[in-house]
mmCIF file of all heavy atoms in Angstrom:
data_model
loop_
_atom_site.group_PDB
_atom_site.id
_atom_site.type_symbol
_atom_site.label_atom_id
_atom_site.label_comp_id
_atom_site.label_asym_id
_atom_site.label_seq_id
_atom_site.Cartn_x
_atom_site.Cartn_y
_atom_site.Cartn_z
ATOM 1 N N MET A 1 -43.382 109.148 35.741
ATOM 2 C CA MET A 1 -43.179 108.911 34.282
ATOM 3 C C MET A 1 -41.687 108.726 34.008
ATOM 4 O O MET A 1 -40.921 109.485 34.538
ATOM 5 C CB MET A 1 -43.729 110.076 33.520
ATOM 6 C CG MET A 1 -43.506 109.888 31.933
ATOM 7 S SD MET A 1 -44.214 111.219 31.097
ATOM 8 C CE MET A 1 -45.972 110.831 31.233
ATOM 9 N N SER A 2 -41.363 107.651 33.363
ATOM 10 C CA SER A 2 -39.986 107.354 33.061
ATOM 11 C C SER A 2 -39.420 108.303 31.935
ATOM 12 O O SER A 2 -40.212 108.764 31.127
ATOM 13 C CB SER A 2 -39.759 105.865 32.703
ATOM 14 O OG SER A 2 -40.321 105.668 31.384
ATOM 15 N N VAL A 3 -38.109 108.275 31.817
ATOM 16 C CA VAL A 3 -37.491 108.961 30.704
ATOM 17 C C VAL A 3 -37.915 108.415 29.395
ATOM 18 O O VAL A 3 -38.185 109.181 28.420
ATOM 19 C CB VAL A 3 -35.974 108.988 30.865
ATOM 20 C CG1 VAL A 3 -35.296 109.638 29.591
ATOM 21 C CG2 VAL A 3 -35.508 109.687 32.100
ATOM 22 N N PHE A 4 -37.910 107.110 29.368
ATOM 23 C CA PHE A 4 -38.372 106.410 28.088
ATOM 24 C C PHE A 4 -39.749 106.839 27.598
ATOM 25 O O PHE A 4 -39.905 107.206 26.444
ATOM 26 C CB PHE A 4 -38.349 104.904 28.285
ATOM 27 C CG PHE A 4 -38.800 104.142 27.044
ATOM 28 C CD1 PHE A 4 -37.967 104.110 25.911
ATOM 29 C CD2 PHE A 4 -40.066 103.541 27.128
ATOM 30 C CE1 PHE A 4 -38.389 103.387 24.847
ATOM 31 C CE2 PHE A 4 -40.474 102.821 25.957
ATOM 32 C CZ PHE A 4 -39.623 102.762 24.800
ATOM 33 N N GLU A 5 -40.653 106.947 28.542
ATOM 34 C CA GLU A 5 -42.001 107.399 28.266
ATOM 35 C C GLU A 5 -42.026 108.870 27.713
ATOM 36 O O GLU A 5 -42.783 109.179 26.814
ATOM 37 C CB GLU A 5 -42.940 107.188 29.407
ATOM 38 C CG GLU A 5 -43.363 105.740 29.590
ATOM 39 C CD GLU A 5 -44.102 105.534 30.867
ATOM 40 O OE1 GLU A 5 -43.872 106.268 31.911
ATOM 41 O OE2 GLU A 5 -44.962 104.638 30.896
ATOM 42 N N ASN A 6 -41.184 109.718 28.351
ATOM 43 C CA ASN A 6 -41.063 111.058 27.963
ATOM 44 C C ASN A 6 -40.642 111.096 26.503
ATOM 45 O O ASN A 6 -41.231 111.870 25.653
ATOM 46 C CB ASN A 6 -40.075 111.763 28.806
ATOM 47 C CG ASN A 6 -40.762 112.567 29.942
ATOM 48 O OD1 ASN A 6 -41.937 113.009 29.745
ATOM 49 N ND2 ASN A 6 -40.168 112.569 31.069
ATOM 50 N N LEU A 7 -39.556 110.331 26.152
ATOM 51 C CA LEU A 7 -39.152 110.306 24.797
ATOM 52 C C LEU A 7 -40.167 109.803 23.820
ATOM 53 O O LEU A 7 -40.310 110.381 22.774
ATOM 54 C CB LEU A 7 -37.859 109.457 24.656
ATOM 55 C CG LEU A 7 -36.596 110.022 25.275
ATOM 56 C CD1 LEU A 7 -35.484 108.983 25.274
ATOM 57 C CD2 LEU A 7 -36.140 111.310 24.513
ATOM 58 N N ARG A 8 -40.843 108.781 24.196
ATOM 59 C CA ARG A 8 -41.936 108.352 23.341
ATOM 60 C C ARG A 8 -43.019 109.368 23.097
ATOM 61 O O ARG A 8 -43.459 109.521 21.933
ATOM 62 C CB ARG A 8 -42.635 107.116 23.984
ATOM 63 C CG ARG A 8 -42.071 105.823 23.546
ATOM 64 C CD ARG A 8 -42.866 104.746 24.203
ATOM 65 N NE ARG A 8 -44.055 104.302 23.474
ATOM 66 C CZ ARG A 8 -45.170 103.796 23.984
ATOM 67 N NH1 ARG A 8 -45.258 103.545 25.236
ATOM 68 N NH2 ARG A 8 -46.208 103.554 23.199
ATOM 69 N N GLN A 9 -43.212 110.180 24.097
ATOM 70 C CA GLN A 9 -44.282 111.259 23.868
ATOM 71 C C GLN A 9 -43.732 112.337 23.004
ATOM 72 O O GLN A 9 -44.527 112.822 22.140
ATOM 73 C CB GLN A 9 -44.606 111.859 25.304
ATOM 74 C CG GLN A 9 -45.180 110.807 26.282
ATOM 75 C CD GLN A 9 -46.570 111.120 26.647
ATOM 76 O OE1 GLN A 9 -47.021 112.249 26.616
ATOM 77 N NE2 GLN A 9 -47.314 110.138 27.146
ATOM 78 N N VAL A 10 -42.512 112.523 23.047
ATOM 79 C CA VAL A 10 -41.910 113.628 22.106
ATOM 80 C C VAL A 10 -42.009 113.062 20.684
ATOM 81 O O VAL A 10 -42.449 113.838 19.831
ATOM 82 C CB VAL A 10 -40.435 113.883 22.505
ATOM 83 C CG1 VAL A 10 -39.718 114.725 21.428
ATOM 84 C CG2 VAL A 10 -40.305 114.550 23.806
ATOM 85 N N PHE A 11 -41.613 111.787 20.479
ATOM 86 C CA PHE A 11 -41.748 111.275 19.091
ATOM 87 C C PHE A 11 -43.184 111.233 18.684
ATOM 88 O O PHE A 11 -43.522 111.543 17.534
ATOM 89 C CB PHE A 11 -41.152 109.859 19.112
ATOM 90 C CG PHE A 11 -39.702 109.768 19.026
ATOM 91 C CD1 PHE A 11 -38.866 109.262 20.024
ATOM 92 C CD2 PHE A 11 -39.032 110.359 17.870
ATOM 93 C CE1 PHE A 11 -37.490 109.229 19.900
ATOM 94 C CE2 PHE A 11 -37.665 110.365 17.777
ATOM 95 C CZ PHE A 11 -36.894 109.743 18.837
ATOM 96 N N ARG A 12 -44.065 110.957 19.650
ATOM 97 C CA ARG A 12 -45.475 110.926 19.230
ATOM 98 C C ARG A 12 -45.971 112.282 18.845
ATOM 99 O O ARG A 12 -46.894 112.380 17.971
ATOM 100 C CB ARG A 12 -46.293 110.337 20.348
ATOM 101 C CG ARG A 12 -46.183 108.844 20.442
ATOM 102 C CD ARG A 12 -46.989 108.319 21.530
ATOM 103 N NE ARG A 12 -47.448 106.918 21.307
ATOM 104 C CZ ARG A 12 -48.438 106.327 21.820
ATOM 105 N NH1 ARG A 12 -49.300 106.952 22.614
ATOM 106 N NH2 ARG A 12 -48.683 105.043 21.631
ATOM 107 N N SER A 13 -45.491 113.331 19.497
ATOM 108 C CA SER A 13 -45.929 114.613 19.073
ATOM 109 C C SER A 13 -45.422 115.041 17.745
ATOM 110 O O SER A 13 -46.052 115.884 17.068
ATOM 111 C CB SER A 13 -45.436 115.618 20.083
ATOM 112 O OG SER A 13 -44.037 115.804 20.040
ATOM 113 N N GLU A 14 -44.318 114.409 17.255
ATOM 114 C CA GLU A 14 -43.842 114.666 15.879
ATOM 115 C C GLU A 14 -44.678 113.867 14.957
ATOM 116 O O GLU A 14 -45.193 114.460 13.906
ATOM 117 C CB GLU A 14 -42.367 114.138 15.731
ATOM 118 C CG GLU A 14 -41.470 114.886 16.623
ATOM 119 C CD GLU A 14 -40.866 116.085 16.013
ATOM 120 O OE1 GLU A 14 -41.177 116.325 14.831
ATOM 121 O OE2 GLU A 14 -40.258 116.911 16.715
ATOM 122 N N THR A 15 -44.959 112.663 15.174
ATOM 123 C CA THR A 15 -45.700 111.810 14.295
ATOM 124 C C THR A 15 -46.790 110.977 15.170
ATOM 125 O O THR A 15 -46.442 109.849 15.406
ATOM 126 C CB THR A 15 -44.801 110.834 13.564
ATOM 127 O OG1 THR A 15 -44.035 110.092 14.341
ATOM 128 C CG2 THR A 15 -43.968 111.589 12.507
ATOM 129 N N PRO A 16 -47.730 111.618 15.521
ATOM 130 C CA PRO A 16 -48.821 110.886 16.380
ATOM 131 C C PRO A 16 -49.374 109.790 15.594
ATOM 132 O O PRO A 16 -49.708 109.941 14.375
ATOM 133 C CB PRO A 16 -49.895 112.074 16.672
ATOM 134 C CG PRO A 16 -49.666 112.994 15.588
ATOM 135 C CD PRO A 16 -48.243 112.969 15.234
ATOM 136 N N ASP A 17 -49.491 108.647 16.309
ATOM 137 C CA ASP A 17 -50.061 107.442 15.673
ATOM 138 C C ASP A 17 -51.595 107.310 15.858
ATOM 139 O O ASP A 17 -52.189 106.371 15.402
ATOM 140 C CB ASP A 17 -49.279 106.178 16.084
ATOM 141 C CG ASP A 17 -49.340 105.965 17.609
ATOM 142 O OD1 ASP A 17 -49.926 106.858 18.252
ATOM 143 O OD2 ASP A 17 -48.806 104.988 18.093
ATOM 144 N N HIS A 18 -52.044 108.257 16.712
ATOM 145 C CA HIS A 18 -53.544 108.284 16.846
ATOM 146 C C HIS A 18 -53.873 109.629 17.167
ATOM 147 O O HIS A 18 -53.169 110.414 17.675
ATOM 148 C CB HIS A 18 -54.007 107.257 17.857
ATOM 149 C CG HIS A 18 -53.623 107.660 19.253
ATOM 150 N ND1 HIS A 18 -52.409 107.336 19.813
ATOM 151 C CD2 HIS A 18 -54.299 108.276 20.243
ATOM 152 C CE1 HIS A 18 -52.341 107.735 21.037
ATOM 153 N NE2 HIS A 18 -53.462 108.330 21.332
ATOM 154 N N THR A 19 -55.179 109.981 16.794
ATOM 155 C CA THR A 19 -55.631 111.413 16.996
ATOM 156 C C THR A 19 -56.722 111.510 18.036
ATOM 157 O O THR A 19 -56.857 112.534 18.651
ATOM 158 C CB THR A 19 -56.214 111.881 15.607
ATOM 159 O OG1 THR A 19 -55.170 111.628 14.608
ATOM 160 C CG2 THR A 19 -56.500 113.360 15.688
ATOM 161 N N TYR A 20 -57.373 110.389 18.255
ATOM 162 C CA TYR A 20 -58.394 110.336 19.274
ATOM 163 C C TYR A 20 -58.100 109.261 20.265
ATOM 164 O O TYR A 20 -57.421 108.308 19.962
ATOM 165 C CB TYR A 20 -59.724 110.054 18.618
ATOM 166 C CG TYR A 20 -60.178 111.065 17.465
ATOM 167 C CD1 TYR A 20 -59.721 110.956 16.188
ATOM 168 C CD2 TYR A 20 -60.954 112.243 17.929
ATOM 169 C CE1 TYR A 20 -60.129 111.837 15.223
ATOM 170 C CE2 TYR A 20 -61.266 113.141 16.952
ATOM 171 C CZ TYR A 20 -60.871 112.997 15.631
ATOM 172 O OH TYR A 20 -61.171 113.943 14.705
ATOM 173 N N GLU A 21 -58.695 109.559 21.426
ATOM 174 C CA GLU A 21 -58.603 108.405 22.435
ATOM 175 C C GLU A 21 -59.837 108.474 23.366
ATOM 176 O O GLU A 21 -60.464 109.521 23.555
ATOM 177 C CB GLU A 21 -57.371 108.511 23.249
ATOM 178 C CG GLU A 21 -57.325 109.708 24.218
ATOM 179 C CD GLU A 21 -56.059 109.757 25.048
ATOM 180 O OE1 GLU A 21 -55.144 109.105 24.673
ATOM 181 O OE2 GLU A 21 -56.058 110.547 26.040
ATOM 182 N N CYS A 22 -60.154 107.348 23.858
ATOM 183 C CA CYS A 22 -61.262 107.182 24.846
ATOM 184 C C CYS A 22 -60.820 107.735 26.203
ATOM 185 O O CYS A 22 -59.829 107.402 26.626
ATOM 186 C CB CYS A 22 -61.661 105.753 24.895
ATOM 187 S SG CYS A 22 -62.978 105.460 26.169
ATOM 188 N N LYS A 23 -61.670 108.712 26.629
ATOM 189 C CA LYS A 23 -61.337 109.265 27.957
ATOM 190 C C LYS A 23 -61.725 108.301 29.056
ATOM 191 O O LYS A 23 -61.346 108.542 30.226
ATOM 192 C CB LYS A 23 -62.126 110.622 28.110
ATOM 193 C CG LYS A 23 -61.720 111.667 27.097
ATOM 194 C CD LYS A 23 -60.275 111.964 27.138
ATOM 195 C CE LYS A 23 -59.947 113.018 26.176
ATOM 196 N NZ LYS A 23 -58.455 113.296 26.138
ATOM 197 N N GLY A 24 -62.474 107.331 28.701
ATOM 198 C CA GLY A 24 -62.895 106.301 29.741
ATOM 199 C C GLY A 24 -61.857 105.290 29.999
ATOM 200 O O GLY A 24 -61.413 105.063 31.133
ATOM 201 N N CYS A 25 -61.342 104.622 28.922
ATOM 202 C CA CYS A 25 -60.446 103.493 29.104
ATOM 203 C C CYS A 25 -58.991 103.789 28.475
ATOM 204 O O CYS A 25 -58.047 103.124 28.663
ATOM 205 C CB CYS A 25 -60.960 102.262 28.388
ATOM 206 S SG CYS A 25 -61.074 102.335 26.565
ATOM 207 N N GLY A 26 -58.919 105.001 27.774
ATOM 208 C CA GLY A 26 -57.611 105.445 27.286
ATOM 209 C C GLY A 26 -57.158 104.747 25.980
ATOM 210 O O GLY A 26 -56.077 104.961 25.543
ATOM 211 N N LYS A 27 -58.074 104.028 25.359
ATOM 212 C CA LYS A 27 -57.721 103.295 24.107
ATOM 213 C C LYS A 27 -57.611 104.371 22.947
ATOM 214 O O LYS A 27 -58.428 105.161 22.774
ATOM 215 C CB LYS A 27 -58.865 102.277 23.814
ATOM 216 C CG LYS A 27 -58.474 101.385 22.642
ATOM 217 C CD LYS A 27 -59.496 100.276 22.505
ATOM 218 C CE LYS A 27 -59.108 99.354 21.333
ATOM 219 N NZ LYS A 27 -57.872 98.654 21.555
ATOM 220 N N PRO A 28 -56.491 104.281 22.240
ATOM 221 C CA PRO A 28 -56.272 105.136 21.114
ATOM 222 C C PRO A 28 -57.032 104.790 19.829
ATOM 223 O O PRO A 28 -57.151 103.563 19.509
ATOM 224 C CB PRO A 28 -54.786 105.166 20.974
ATOM 225 C CG PRO A 28 -54.334 103.746 21.330
ATOM 226 C CD PRO A 28 -55.404 103.345 22.466
ATOM 227 N N PHE A 29 -57.375 105.782 19.116
ATOM 228 C CA PHE A 29 -58.088 105.536 17.809
ATOM 229 C C PHE A 29 -57.494 106.443 16.736
ATOM 230 O O PHE A 29 -57.132 107.617 17.118
ATOM 231 C CB PHE A 29 -59.580 105.704 17.882
ATOM 232 C CG PHE A 29 -60.192 104.851 18.891
ATOM 233 C CD1 PHE A 29 -60.598 105.371 20.074
ATOM 234 C CD2 PHE A 29 -60.408 103.530 18.608
ATOM 235 C CE1 PHE A 29 -61.205 104.570 21.096
ATOM 236 C CE2 PHE A 29 -60.973 102.728 19.603
ATOM 237 C CZ PHE A 29 -61.383 103.249 20.825
ATOM 238 N N GLU A 30 -57.410 106.054 15.542
ATOM 239 C CA GLU A 30 -57.017 106.975 14.445
ATOM 240 C C GLU A 30 -58.275 107.800 13.928
ATOM 241 O O GLU A 30 -58.037 108.850 13.417
ATOM 242 C CB GLU A 30 -56.496 106.120 13.237
ATOM 243 C CG GLU A 30 -55.160 105.428 13.554
ATOM 244 C CD GLU A 30 -54.607 104.745 12.337
ATOM 245 O OE1 GLU A 30 -55.127 105.003 11.227
ATOM 246 O OE2 GLU A 30 -53.755 103.926 12.566
ATOM 247 N N LEU A 31 -59.451 107.190 14.151
ATOM 248 C CA LEU A 31 -60.681 107.909 13.634
ATOM 249 C C LEU A 31 -61.560 108.096 14.957
ATOM 250 O O LEU A 31 -61.491 107.348 15.860
ATOM 251 C CB LEU A 31 -61.375 107.087 12.625
ATOM 252 C CG LEU A 31 -60.661 106.839 11.379
ATOM 253 C CD1 LEU A 31 -61.440 105.865 10.443
ATOM 254 C CD2 LEU A 31 -60.268 108.044 10.636
ATOM 255 N N GLN A 32 -62.316 109.133 14.920
ATOM 256 C CA GLN A 32 -63.210 109.342 16.011
ATOM 257 C C GLN A 32 -64.353 108.342 15.971
ATOM 258 O O GLN A 32 -64.841 107.911 14.896
ATOM 259 C CB GLN A 32 -63.828 110.800 15.867
ATOM 260 C CG GLN A 32 -64.589 111.170 17.142
ATOM 261 C CD GLN A 32 -65.019 112.635 17.108
ATOM 262 O OE1 GLN A 32 -65.131 113.266 16.111
ATOM 263 N NE2 GLN A 32 -65.181 113.224 18.297
ATOM 264 N N HIS A 33 -64.775 107.944 17.153
ATOM 265 C CA HIS A 33 -65.860 107.041 17.332
ATOM 266 C C HIS A 33 -66.988 107.705 18.091
ATOM 267 O O HIS A 33 -66.690 108.418 19.156
ATOM 268 C CB HIS A 33 -65.469 105.763 18.028
ATOM 269 C CG HIS A 33 -64.471 104.904 17.193
ATOM 270 N ND1 HIS A 33 -64.987 103.930 16.327
ATOM 271 C CD2 HIS A 33 -63.198 104.905 17.023
ATOM 272 C CE1 HIS A 33 -63.981 103.315 15.762
ATOM 273 N NE2 HIS A 33 -62.814 103.901 16.121
ATOM 274 N N GLN A 34 -68.177 107.446 17.761
ATOM 275 C CA GLN A 34 -69.277 107.955 18.625
ATOM 276 C C GLN A 34 -69.315 107.158 20.020
ATOM 277 O O GLN A 34 -69.522 107.763 21.050
ATOM 278 C CB GLN A 34 -70.669 107.864 17.910
ATOM 279 C CG GLN A 34 -70.831 108.660 16.725
ATOM 280 C CD GLN A 34 -70.803 110.154 17.012
ATOM 281 O OE1 GLN A 34 -71.275 110.548 17.985
ATOM 282 N NE2 GLN A 34 -70.141 110.904 16.121
ATOM 283 N N VAL A 35 -69.015 105.950 19.900
ATOM 284 C CA VAL A 35 -69.040 105.131 21.110
ATOM 285 C C VAL A 35 -67.749 104.228 21.085
ATOM 286 O O VAL A 35 -67.371 103.619 19.935
ATOM 287 C CB VAL A 35 -70.170 104.113 21.076
ATOM 288 C CG1 VAL A 35 -70.159 103.176 22.337
ATOM 289 C CG2 VAL A 35 -71.512 104.886 21.090
ATOM 290 N N CYS A 36 -67.029 104.251 22.174
ATOM 291 C CA CYS A 36 -65.748 103.453 22.230
ATOM 292 C C CYS A 36 -66.120 101.997 21.995
ATOM 293 O O CYS A 36 -66.834 101.419 22.805
ATOM 294 C CB CYS A 36 -65.189 103.702 23.617
ATOM 295 S SG CYS A 36 -63.668 102.717 23.854
ATOM 296 N N PRO A 37 -65.465 101.328 21.039
ATOM 297 C CA PRO A 37 -65.625 99.826 20.811
ATOM 298 C C PRO A 37 -65.111 99.048 21.916
ATOM 299 O O PRO A 37 -65.534 97.827 22.076
ATOM 300 C CB PRO A 37 -64.912 99.594 19.536
ATOM 301 C CG PRO A 37 -64.615 100.985 18.915
ATOM 302 C CD PRO A 37 -64.558 101.896 20.058
ATOM 303 N N SER A 38 -64.249 99.568 22.721
ATOM 304 C CA SER A 38 -63.649 98.843 23.771
ATOM 305 C C SER A 38 -64.380 98.765 25.090
ATOM 306 O O SER A 38 -64.740 97.725 25.563
ATOM 307 C CB SER A 38 -62.200 99.438 24.011
ATOM 308 O OG SER A 38 -61.610 98.682 25.086
ATOM 309 N N CYS A 39 -64.811 99.956 25.479
ATOM 310 C CA CYS A 39 -65.548 100.085 26.843
ATOM 311 C C CYS A 39 -66.941 100.484 26.638
ATOM 312 O O CYS A 39 -67.740 100.511 27.664
ATOM 313 C CB CYS A 39 -64.713 100.856 27.809
ATOM 314 S SG CYS A 39 -64.841 102.641 27.488
ATOM 315 N N GLY A 40 -67.424 100.937 25.512
ATOM 316 C CA GLY A 40 -68.744 101.418 25.321
ATOM 317 C C GLY A 40 -68.987 102.930 25.785
ATOM 318 O O GLY A 40 -70.112 103.389 25.814
ATOM 319 N N GLY A 41 -67.861 103.541 26.209
ATOM 320 C CA GLY A 41 -68.059 104.925 26.621
ATOM 321 C C GLY A 41 -68.327 105.921 25.446
ATOM 322 O O GLY A 41 -67.918 105.649 24.285
ATOM 323 N N PHE A 42 -68.839 107.039 25.843
ATOM 324 C CA PHE A 42 -69.130 108.044 24.786
ATOM 325 C C PHE A 42 -68.193 109.209 24.717
ATOM 326 O O PHE A 42 -68.329 110.159 24.011
ATOM 327 C CB PHE A 42 -70.552 108.631 25.118
ATOM 328 C CG PHE A 42 -71.712 107.708 24.951
ATOM 329 C CD1 PHE A 42 -72.146 106.950 26.004
ATOM 330 C CD2 PHE A 42 -72.207 107.498 23.738
ATOM 331 C CE1 PHE A 42 -73.161 106.019 25.866
ATOM 332 C CE2 PHE A 42 -73.229 106.585 23.535
ATOM 333 C CZ PHE A 42 -73.771 105.834 24.589
ATOM 334 N N ARG A 43 -67.062 109.033 25.493
ATOM 335 C CA ARG A 43 -66.124 110.209 25.511
ATOM 336 C C ARG A 43 -64.846 109.802 24.715
ATOM 337 O O ARG A 43 -63.727 109.745 25.223
ATOM 338 C CB ARG A 43 -65.690 110.502 26.944
ATOM 339 C CG ARG A 43 -66.934 111.023 27.786
ATOM 340 C CD ARG A 43 -66.521 111.379 29.167
ATOM 341 N NE ARG A 43 -65.506 112.432 29.134
ATOM 342 C CZ ARG A 43 -64.650 112.572 30.121
ATOM 343 N NH1 ARG A 43 -64.560 111.847 31.195
ATOM 344 N NH2 ARG A 43 -63.747 113.557 30.052
ATOM 345 N N VAL A 44 -64.992 109.634 23.437
ATOM 346 C CA VAL A 44 -63.838 109.503 22.500
ATOM 347 C C VAL A 44 -63.596 110.820 21.915
ATOM 348 O O VAL A 44 -64.368 111.415 21.122
ATOM 349 C CB VAL A 44 -64.194 108.454 21.411
ATOM 350 C CG1 VAL A 44 -62.933 108.373 20.457
ATOM 351 C CG2 VAL A 44 -64.545 107.113 21.995
ATOM 352 N N GLU A 45 -62.436 111.482 22.400
ATOM 353 C CA GLU A 45 -62.220 112.802 22.112
ATOM 354 C C GLU A 45 -60.830 112.979 21.440
ATOM 355 O O GLU A 45 -59.932 112.143 21.587
ATOM 356 C CB GLU A 45 -62.243 113.697 23.390
ATOM 357 C CG GLU A 45 -63.607 113.659 24.050
ATOM 358 C CD GLU A 45 -63.566 114.366 25.403
ATOM 359 O OE1 GLU A 45 -62.583 114.989 25.747
ATOM 360 O OE2 GLU A 45 -64.644 114.290 26.150
ATOM 361 N N ARG A 46 -60.660 114.083 20.755
ATOM 362 C CA ARG A 46 -59.390 114.353 20.023
ATOM 363 C C ARG A 46 -58.267 114.567 21.058
ATOM 364 O O ARG A 46 -58.472 115.190 22.143
ATOM 365 C CB ARG A 46 -59.586 115.675 19.254
ATOM 366 C CG ARG A 46 -58.459 115.862 18.223
ATOM 367 C CD ARG A 46 -58.836 117.112 17.415
ATOM 368 N NE ARG A 46 -57.786 117.345 16.362
ATOM 369 C CZ ARG A 46 -56.562 117.884 16.601
ATOM 370 N NH1 ARG A 46 -56.298 118.247 17.777
ATOM 371 N NH2 ARG A 46 -55.799 117.989 15.530
ATOM 372 N N VAL A 47 -57.094 113.977 20.819
ATOM 373 C CA VAL A 47 -55.939 114.159 21.697
ATOM 374 C C VAL A 47 -55.341 115.480 21.414
ATOM 375 O O VAL A 47 -55.030 115.861 20.323
ATOM 376 C CB VAL A 47 -54.986 113.072 21.437
ATOM 377 C CG1 VAL A 47 -53.751 113.243 22.324
ATOM 378 C CG2 VAL A 47 -55.606 111.646 21.676
ATOM 379 N N ASP A 48 -55.169 116.200 22.537
ATOM 380 C CA ASP A 48 -54.441 117.463 22.501
ATOM 381 C C ASP A 48 -52.940 117.208 22.862
ATOM 382 O O ASP A 48 -52.569 117.100 24.013
ATOM 383 C CB ASP A 48 -55.002 118.506 23.391
ATOM 384 C CG ASP A 48 -54.416 119.903 23.258
ATOM 385 O OD1 ASP A 48 -53.368 119.929 22.591
ATOM 386 O OD2 ASP A 48 -55.053 120.807 23.652
ATOM 387 N N TRP A 49 -52.061 117.128 21.819
ATOM 388 C CA TRP A 49 -50.698 116.716 21.984
ATOM 389 C C TRP A 49 -49.960 117.720 22.790
ATOM 390 O O TRP A 49 -49.082 117.416 23.630
ATOM 391 C CB TRP A 49 -49.994 116.373 20.710
ATOM 392 C CG TRP A 49 -50.664 115.228 19.955
ATOM 393 C CD1 TRP A 49 -51.582 115.289 18.992
ATOM 394 C CD2 TRP A 49 -50.520 113.868 20.385
ATOM 395 N NE1 TRP A 49 -51.924 114.053 18.655
ATOM 396 C CE2 TRP A 49 -51.316 113.185 19.453
ATOM 397 C CE3 TRP A 49 -49.699 113.199 21.224
ATOM 398 C CZ2 TRP A 49 -51.317 111.799 19.502
ATOM 399 C CZ3 TRP A 49 -49.763 111.794 21.269
ATOM 400 C CH2 TRP A 49 -50.620 111.139 20.471
ATOM 401 N N SER A 50 -50.220 119.015 22.583
ATOM 402 C CA SER A 50 -49.418 120.063 23.306
ATOM 403 C C SER A 50 -49.750 120.017 24.800
ATOM 404 O O SER A 50 -48.898 120.233 25.639
ATOM 405 C CB SER A 50 -49.825 121.414 22.692
ATOM 406 O OG SER A 50 -51.086 121.669 22.853
ATOM 407 N N ASP A 51 -51.027 119.563 25.005
ATOM 408 C CA ASP A 51 -51.355 119.533 26.457
ATOM 409 C C ASP A 51 -50.616 118.356 27.134
ATOM 410 O O ASP A 51 -50.255 118.455 28.225
ATOM 411 C CB ASP A 51 -52.891 119.313 26.514
ATOM 412 C CG ASP A 51 -53.441 119.638 27.880
ATOM 413 O OD1 ASP A 51 -53.079 120.722 28.412
ATOM 414 O OD2 ASP A 51 -54.241 118.859 28.461
ATOM 415 N N ILE A 52 -50.481 117.224 26.408
ATOM 416 C CA ILE A 52 -49.723 116.053 26.951
ATOM 417 C C ILE A 52 -48.351 116.350 27.282
ATOM 418 O O ILE A 52 -47.774 116.076 28.284
ATOM 419 C CB ILE A 52 -49.902 114.904 25.972
ATOM 420 C CG1 ILE A 52 -51.357 114.430 26.007
ATOM 421 C CG2 ILE A 52 -48.931 113.735 26.383
ATOM 422 C CD1 ILE A 52 -51.627 113.417 25.002
ATOM 423 N N THR A 53 -47.664 117.084 26.315
ATOM 424 C CA THR A 53 -46.232 117.283 26.456
ATOM 425 C C THR A 53 -45.919 118.299 27.512
ATOM 426 O O THR A 53 -44.810 118.331 28.055
ATOM 427 C CB THR A 53 -45.574 117.800 25.133
ATOM 428 O OG1 THR A 53 -46.355 118.819 24.606
ATOM 429 C CG2 THR A 53 -45.546 116.549 24.187
ATOM 430 N N ASN A 54 -46.933 119.191 27.773
ATOM 431 C CA ASN A 54 -46.711 120.147 28.899
ATOM 432 C C ASN A 54 -47.025 119.390 30.243
ATOM 433 O O ASN A 54 -46.681 119.812 31.267
ATOM 434 C CB ASN A 54 -47.785 121.247 28.806
ATOM 435 C CG ASN A 54 -47.340 122.168 27.653
ATOM 436 O OD1 ASN A 54 -46.183 122.256 27.248
ATOM 437 N ND2 ASN A 54 -48.327 122.894 27.146
HETATM 438 ZN ZN1 ZN B 1 -63.201 103.237 26.072
#
């Protein structure tokens, strides 16, 4: 992971631009979806920002 990406993640933890993401394809969403519109997966889950920054 580059330094730039680290900084981006810090900023995102301050003001996250999405709350959910597909665990299948990684596509971010502001709202939760039952089915991912991108890949059709069922694993659209809430992003745990503290987990990412750790
Ligand atoms: Zn997906």
Side-chain angles (χ1 to χ4, degrees):
M1 179 176 288
S2 73
V3 174
F4 177 72
E5 281 172 331
N6 265 325
L7 285 174
R8 265 184 85 206
Q9 301 238 340
V10 170
F11 278 118
R12 282 183 158 204
S13 70
E14 299 274 349
T15 55
D17 58 357
H18 69 278
T19 308
Y20 299 91
E21 71 180 14
C22 175
K23 299 300 182 184
C25 66
K27 190 173 178 63
F29 303 105
E30 292 181 15
L31 301 173
Q32 188 172 26
H33 293 267
Q34 293 296 324
V35 179
C36 174
S38 180
C39 72
F42 291 95
R43 295 183 61 204
V44 180
E45 297 174 8
R46 194 175 185 281
V47 177
D48 188 343
W49 295 100
S50 60
D51 199 46
I52 291 175
T53 51
N54 287 338

